[in-house]
Amino acid sequence: MKKVQQGDIGMAFIVGIDGGGTKTAVTITHDQEDALFTFTVGPINYNGGDTDAIAASFEEVFSQTKLYCGNLQEVAHICIGAAGVSNPLVINFLEQHVRNNGYIGPLTITGDQETALYGAQNAMQGIILIAGTGSICFGVNEKGERHRTGGFGHLIDDEGSGYSIGRDLLSVLVQVEDGRITDTVIPAMVYEQLGLSTVKEIIGFVYDKNTTKKDIAQLAPIMTIAYEKGDAHAIALAEKCAANLYELVVPVIERLKLYESPIAIAGSVLQKSRFVKEALERKLAQSYPQTKLILPIKDAAYGAVLLGRSKMNNE
């Protein structure tokens, strides 16, 4: 990777930013080249995020960008794909942080489902299913028609996500403690990961104002480990997760008539829990045998670059 030195001229850098609920990935390219520099910082998700942490993430993004590009005047376009832009305040919030860090050039801010789709399919066409801290499905057909399901935040949505799995694991724990559920290894695993030992401490953790949805989502891998041990409740949770994700996919397939489109999958739930992925594949095979789950061609940060590049070309 060639490091661009300060003073190089004629450089039209594009910065693509994928702002998720757990981390923010950044890719810097030249106008017509592949990725030159990539790095990650903390989350920039306004919904349920810590404002001081978000500000620090943006400062690091621009510190790294200036270090690599020489100065922000060399940046021709910044494109941000962010979770939570359904909230009308979020776009203004994100733009303010960008401008506060000294960038005054062209800026695109859109939902992370768009940048994820662009990167995953190497085109703004097809279907992307994201199940990370949150969950969302998004598709675009050959006519340019779009449909999106889910992604409305952890308080009212995000079924099938890491957050929802973590929440359900905590629910199992309290139901074991009061006798509604028996015979499961889940509580012991939750207690161990959190370093806690009583229900009161668990409740304190859950309702602590400093506990974020990311903290809850980080419990999700326990489901997979418990599944491998044959835990019936973990198996049920994995099936529930797959069913919720299937419900996200169906309206996108049907409304856009994408019956044979491959579905790109992103996010830790689908990429790291093979049990959820396999359960989802079984459900899809029953109703949409021509579809298949595929891994993204490129990541969402590179998708943001592609979208930013297309915006530049259309200006």
Side-chain angles (χ1 to χ4, degrees), residues 178-292:
D178 68 15
R180 284 176 283 171
I181 292 177
T182 58
D183 300 326
T184 175
V185 300
I186 289 173
M189 298 173 72
V190 173
Y191 281 129
E192 181 179 3
Q193 180 168 321
L194 295 179
L196 304 176
S197 58
T198 68
V199 174
K200 287 184 178 181
E201 289 176 328
I202 291 291
I203 299 305
F205 161 76
V206 170
Y207 292 102
D208 189 308
K209 61 182 176 62
N210 294 316
T211 298
T212 67
K213 63 180 181 180
K214 174 185 173 182
D215 297 322
I216 303 297
Q218 285 177 337
L219 295 170
I222 288 173
M223 179 192 70
T224 299
I225 299 170
Y227 192 117
E228 291 171 342
K229 296 177 181 293
D231 187 284
H233 294 284
I235 293 171
L237 287 183
E239 291 290 337
K240 175 186 175 184
C241 180
N244 288 331
L245 295 176
Y246 177 78
E247 290 173 357
L248 287 179
V249 170
V250 169
V252 175
I253 292 175
E254 292 290 343
R255 291 203 187 187
L256 301 179
K257 297 180 171 56
L258 291 172
Y259 302 112
E260 298 182 4
S261 174
I263 300 168
I265 56 173
S268 58
V269 173
L270 284 165
Q271 293 189 351
K272 295 184 179 180
S273 178
R274 66 180 180 90
F275 304 113
V276 173
K277 178 175 176 286
E278 289 170 356
L280 177 58
E281 286 175 326
R282 289 193 298 270
K283 291 180 180 297
L284 286 168
Q286 292 175 0
S287 303
Y288 304 101
Q290 302 302 313
T291 66
K292 62 178 180 178

Side-chain angles (χ1 to χ4, degrees), residues 62-261:
F62 283 93
S63 174
Q64 294 266 21
T65 299
K66 284 185 281 189
L67 183 66
Y68 187 80
C69 299
N71 60 69
L72 295 181
Q73 285 68 41
E74 301 290 344
V75 177
H77 201 103
I78 292 178
C79 179
I80 302 175
V85 295
S86 297
N87 182 337
L89 297 176
V90 170
I91 292 178
N92 290 337
F93 173 81
L94 296 177
E95 181 172 5
Q96 180 181 359
H97 276 288
V98 171
R99 303 310 185 191
N100 286 348
N101 279 279
Y103 178 72
I104 60 174
L107 173 67
T108 297
I109 300 175
T110 189
D112 60 349
Q113 74 276 7
E114 292 199 20
T115 52
L117 176 62
Y118 216 142
Q121 304 280 10
N122 203 30
M124 188 59 82
Q125 189 171 313
I127 300 173
I128 181 80
L129 174 63
I130 307 171
T133 303
S135 61
I136 190 170
C137 186
F138 176 66
V140 180
N141 64 18
E142 292 181 354
K143 298 178 181 179
E145 296 169 333
R146 301 172 172 219
H147 189 58
R148 161 260 182 99
T149 55
F152 296 105
H154 68 293
L155 293 179
I156 58 174
D157 199 19
D158 281 349
E159 298 305 315
S161 68
Y163 172 83
S164 72
I165 293 170
R167 178 194 61 209
D168 287 347
L169 291 167
L170 290 165
S171 179
V172 168
L173 182 150
V174 296
Q175 291 181 65
V176 167
E177 294 292 348
D178 68 15
R180 284 176 283 171
I181 292 177
T182 58
D183 300 326
T184 175
V185 300
I186 289 173
M189 298 173 72
V190 173
Y191 281 129
E192 181 179 3
Q193 180 168 321
L194 295 179
L196 304 176
S197 58
T198 68
V199 174
K200 287 184 178 181
E201 289 176 328
I202 291 291
I203 299 305
F205 161 76
V206 170
Y207 292 102
D208 189 308
K209 61 182 176 62
N210 294 316
T211 298
T212 67
K213 63 180 181 180
K214 174 185 173 182
D215 297 322
I216 303 297
Q218 285 177 337
L219 295 170
I222 288 173
M223 179 192 70
T224 299
I225 299 170
Y227 192 117
E228 291 171 342
K229 296 177 181 293
D231 187 284
H233 294 284
I235 293 171
L237 287 183
E239 291 290 337
K240 175 186 175 184
C241 180
N244 288 331
L245 295 176
Y246 177 78
E247 290 173 357
L248 287 179
V249 170
V250 169
V252 175
I253 292 175
E254 292 290 343
R255 291 203 187 187
L256 301 179
K257 297 180 171 56
L258 291 172
Y259 302 112
E260 298 182 4
S261 174

